[in-house]
Amino acid sequence: MASQTPNMDNIAEALKQVAADGNKLMTNNDDPAAREQLVKSARNLLRATKTPVESLLWHLWAPQVRVVAARIAVDMKIFETAVGNGGNPKSAEDLAAPTGASPMLVKRIARACVSMGWLDEQGPGIYAPNEMTKLLAIKEYASGIIFGFDARSLLLTKMPAFLRETGFQNPEDPDAGPFKYATAGVPLQQWLIQEPLVLDAFFDYIHTLRQHRPSWVDMYPVQSRLVEGLKPDGDSSVFVDVGGNTGQILKDFVRDVPQYKGRLVLQDTPTMTAAAKAKGVDADGRIEIQAHDFMTPQPIKGARAYFMRSVLHDWPDKQCRTILGHLKDAMEPGYSRILISDCVVSDQNAAWQHVSLDIFMMGHLAARERTESEWHALMESCGLKIVGIYSKGDGNESVIEATIA
């Protein structure tokens, strides 16, 4: 029978670490790394304190049920109703009113939200908002719950069966991956187009989330690596955002790096470039928009930089070699560089954010997040070499800089 008694030595060691990390944060409370370390040590203390059976039951019962409850709460407008009227305490009947829901159902969903810390309960059946409630009352943050549940629950329930049927082989074929198995052959991109609510939620969620992550220009030495030595004319002055969606990266670049005087080109599929034009991304002439399939030869030769954010993690190695090969063919040795904003997973004790995203990418696109050694191997297989990896904080994206080997 499994032990029902936690190891007291482990608890004592974890407590010491929490105290030490807590003191560091108290003496330097504006240090994000100190805060991240305290969160990590607090999680270790929680793991040490629970018995194995308690941990098992938590993972079997709590996460899945809470995600479902949160998704229902968004549909029932519980969070936005809770913050209304100045955030005054409200009954289940008050929270039920906007949608005409059953107060009993509201109470059952609300108490699940209370257990998550996403809503406060001031008395039996009396609810008040907290900071999490206020966050989730904002459409863009609630969108993360919509996308996270609607797209991922469909996939995750079928992924074990897919792996059993394929003999537990690592998914490497985007045309025959777990998501298409779960949808009877419909790829993720097509499924999202068929589900406009989820597609809109995806864009809201991704854009909002990135506002809370370090910007790539805060990690990468833009001045010394891009601005200095920039050739002033033609394609050699271009910063290309390859697969740049609707242009948010370049809009931020214009704002954050005004000293970059070269051309800025957004490349993506015709659907995305049309959306970028509709948003007015090229209205002032600073950003050029170009429809381009990155699986075909790169039309801009000898650019200063070819930038990709969250592109290569969408593809297995075979397709990545095609994308990188076309960029290498277009590069000017000693001048051009490839900049990749993506996760770099630790080879040991990987961050939970990277681990979670890796499983999601495996399921959705038969793709993956890569470790540093895997990034080096991928680049070397294309005749490229990594000359720098720039990171900031735990579990965030890094900037990988590559040149012709």
Side-chain angles (χ1 to χ4, degrees):
M1 179 175 289
S3 171
Q4 294 302 301
T5 305
N7 186 302
M8 299 308 293
D9 290 337
N10 290 345
I11 293 175
E13 186 62 34
L15 279 169
K16 290 179 184 177
Q17 192 63 51
V18 167
D21 293 336
N23 287 333
K24 288 180 183 177
L25 181 61
M26 292 300 100
T27 57
N28 192 8
N29 58 22
D30 60 349
D31 180 7
R35 187 194 62 79
E36 288 176 358
Q37 182 56 46
L38 179 57
V39 170
K40 186 181 296 185
S41 59
R43 287 199 182 101
N44 288 336
L45 174 60
L46 187 60
R47 280 195 293 267
T49 307
K50 287 182 177 180
T51 68
V53 171
E54 286 173 335
S55 293
L56 175 64
L57 292 179
W58 166 262
H59 289 295
L60 288 178
W61 290 357
Q64 299 90 332
V65 170
R66 289 179 165 198
V67 171
V68 172
R71 181 65 180 90
I72 296 169
V74 169
D75 281 346
M76 296 172 74
K77 305 183 186 302
I78 286 177
F79 302 120
E80 54 194 279
T81 304
V83 304
N85 194 26
N88 291 334
K90 296 176 179 66
S91 66
E93 288 75 13
D94 295 328
L95 296 181
T99 57
S102 158
M104 175 57 71
L105 177 62
V106 168
K107 183 181 292 188
R108 297 173 76 176
I109 299 300
R111 68 189 180 198
C113 294
V114 170
S115 76
M116 287 186 272
W118 289 6
L119 190 67
D120 286 345
E121 193 169 18
Q122 295 192 342
I126 302 297
Y127 307 98
N130 56 31
E131 292 306 309
M132 277 298 299
T133 319
K134 295 173 185 176
L135 185 75
L136 292 170
I138 301 170
K139 172 181 176 287
E140 289 76 10
Y141 294 96
S143 291
I145 295 175
I146 295 172
F147 173 72
F149 180 82
D150 290 25
R152 290 171 180 167
S153 62
L154 172 71
L155 160 72
L156 296 178
T157 56
K158 296 291 187 179
M159 194 151 66
F162 169 84
L163 294 173
R164 286 195 300 269
E165 289 190 17
T166 57
F168 300 105
Q169 299 304 298
N170 188 55
E172 297 281 357
D173 184 357
D175 291 324
F179 192 86
K180 291 186 74 172
Y181 175 87
T183 59
V186 181
L188 177 63
Q189 293 87 344
Q190 182 180 337
W191 183 86
L192 285 171
I193 291 171
Q194 296 171 359
E195 300 288 339
L197 173 67
V198 185
L199 181 61
D200 289 344
F202 171 74
F203 284 126
D204 281 346
Y205 162 62
I206 290 297
H207 175 60
T208 303
L209 179 65
R210 283 174 174 169
Q211 295 177 350
H212 297 273
R213 300 289 180 90
S215 169
W216 75 272
V217 298
D218 293 333
M219 294 182 274
Y220 182 73
V222 173
Q223 181 65 33
S224 62
R225 305 296 288 170
L226 295 182
V227 177
E228 295 174 10
L230 176 68
K231 296 180 180 181
D233 301 314
D235 285 356
S236 61
S237 76
V238 177
F239 180 98
V240 189
D241 188 2
V242 181
N245 204 277
T246 56
Q248 190 61 49
I249 290 292
L250 288 182
K251 288 171 64 178
D252 293 344
F253 189 72
V254 171
R255 180 196 65 208
D256 297 336
V257 192
Q259 68 271 31
Y260 192 92
K261 303 303 182 183
R263 292 165 53 202
L264 304 174
V265 176
L266 168 66
Q267 292 180 341
D268 212 306
T269 64
T271 299
M272 283 299 153
T273 54
K277 285 181 178 292
K279 289 176 175 286
V281 170
D282 59 344
D284 63 1
R286 184 68 184 95
I287 298 172
E288 304 169 34
I289 298 178
Q290 182 180 81
H292 171 62
D293 178 358
F294 49 53
M295 293 295 181
T296 64
Q298 171 59 234
I300 298 179
K301 310 297 183 183
R304 182 56 160 161
Y306 300 92
F307 179 90
M308 291 180 287
R309 183 172 196 177
S310 300
V311 170
L312 297 184
H313 85 151
D314 285 349
W315 298 96
D317 283 354
K318 179 181 177 181
Q319 286 78 6
C320 285
R321 291 189 187 97
T322 298
I323 298 169
L324 291 167
H326 289 312
L327 295 182
K328 174 179 174 288
D329 291 343
M331 294 169 71
E332 178 182 333
Y335 177 74
S336 302
R337 61 206 67 235
I338 296 173
L339 300 176
I340 300 163
S341 182
D342 246 321
C343 297
V344 178
V345 183
S346 296
D347 286 306
Q348 183 175 357
N349 296 324
W352 66 266
Q353 299 96 323
H354 291 169
V355 171
S356 301
L357 189 56
D358 179 53
I359 299 299
F360 290 142
M361 297 311 296
M362 176 176 68
H364 283 127
L365 297 167
R368 60 173 162 160
E369 305 302 328
R370 294 173 172 86
T371 65
E372 182 172 344
S373 59
E374 288 168 345
W375 277 116
H376 277 281
L378 176 61
M379 294 298 160
E380 290 166 8
S381 72
C382 301
L384 299 164
K385 66 177 179 180
I386 293 176
V387 296
I389 296 179
Y390 305 85
S391 304
K392 188 175 183 180
D394 192 35
N396 294 317
E397 296 173 0
S398 299
V399 179
I400 303 164
E401 180 181 18
T403 60
I404 293 177

